[in-house]
Amino acid sequence: MKKLLALAAIAIALQGCTTNLIEGQKQELETYKQKGLAVEERNPKLAAVLGILPMAGYLYDGNYVLAFTTLPLYPFLGPLWMPFDTYNSAQARNYYATKPHVERERSKAMQANDRAMDDKHIDDVTYRRIRREIEDKYSAY
């Protein structure tokens, strides 16, 4: 019984060791998803399902070193810990792919607006209105 309790305590403690996004990052990613700007390199749910199998979730997430270094832990903690870790890792990967994508798209839109102003295709009022629209579209808040 003591061994089972110790194993459960270790599993619960290891949940805090997973690659987690902080709350603000989760909110940003959700906002980008709602605006259709999120990049999904990996499916977090699929990563979690694959995390039940030895190495599979980490290989799917692209964490090749973790796939091999956590293999000895699999018999003890794998099914309890790895699905959470691979889910969070996929979510983090998507977040860190989305941030530069959104910034590139925002920058392109701003440059196009600047060019239109420089070429005298739009007036100052229109330029400012478009600039606000761009900021609203690409803002995470």
Side-chain angles (χ1 to χ4, degrees):
M1 184 65 165
K2 286 184 181 183
K3 287 182 182 181
L4 185 60
L5 286 174
L7 185 61
I10 290 170
I12 291 168
L14 285 174
Q15 297 306 319
C17 295
T18 62
T19 311
N20 245 340
L21 293 176
I22 60 173
E23 275 309 307
Q25 292 170 325
K26 288 178 184 178
Q27 286 178 312
E28 282 183 64
L29 186 58
E30 186 57 36
T31 300
Y32 291 138
K33 283 179 184 177
Q34 290 172 0
K35 292 182 175 186
L37 298 170
V39 175
E40 189 167 291
E41 288 187 351
R42 299 293 189 266
N43 182 326
K45 291 177 185 172
L46 177 59
V49 170
L50 291 174
I52 295 170
L53 304 172
M55 299 172 63
Y58 289 119
L59 291 173
Y60 173 72
D61 276 348
N63 293 319
Y64 305 113
V65 173
L66 276 176
F68 290 99
T69 58
T70 58
L71 188 58
L73 296 174
Y74 184 81
F76 308 105
L77 301 170
L80 299 173
W81 167 45
M82 291 178 188
F84 292 102
D85 194 37
T86 54
Y87 177 89
N88 290 330
S89 178
Q91 215 176 20
R93 184 178 183 118
N94 293 342
Y95 173 78
Y96 290 111
T98 297
K99 288 292 283 186
H101 168 74
V102 168
E103 185 53 38
R104 278 190 307 272
E105 294 299 313
R106 187 190 76 72
S107 181
K108 281 195 271 185
M110 289 295 226
Q111 287 174 359
N113 192 35
D114 290 344
R115 273 193 305 278
M117 178 67 169
D118 291 344
D119 295 342
K120 308 285 189 224
H121 294 294
I122 58 175
D123 62 9
D124 190 48
V125 173
T126 305
Y127 172 81
R128 285 189 305 226
R129 181 184 51 77
I130 292 172
R131 188 175 178 89
R132 277 192 307 272
E133 289 171 359
I134 291 169
E135 289 296 335
D136 287 344
K137 178 178 181 181
Y138 294 103
S139 171
Y141 305 102

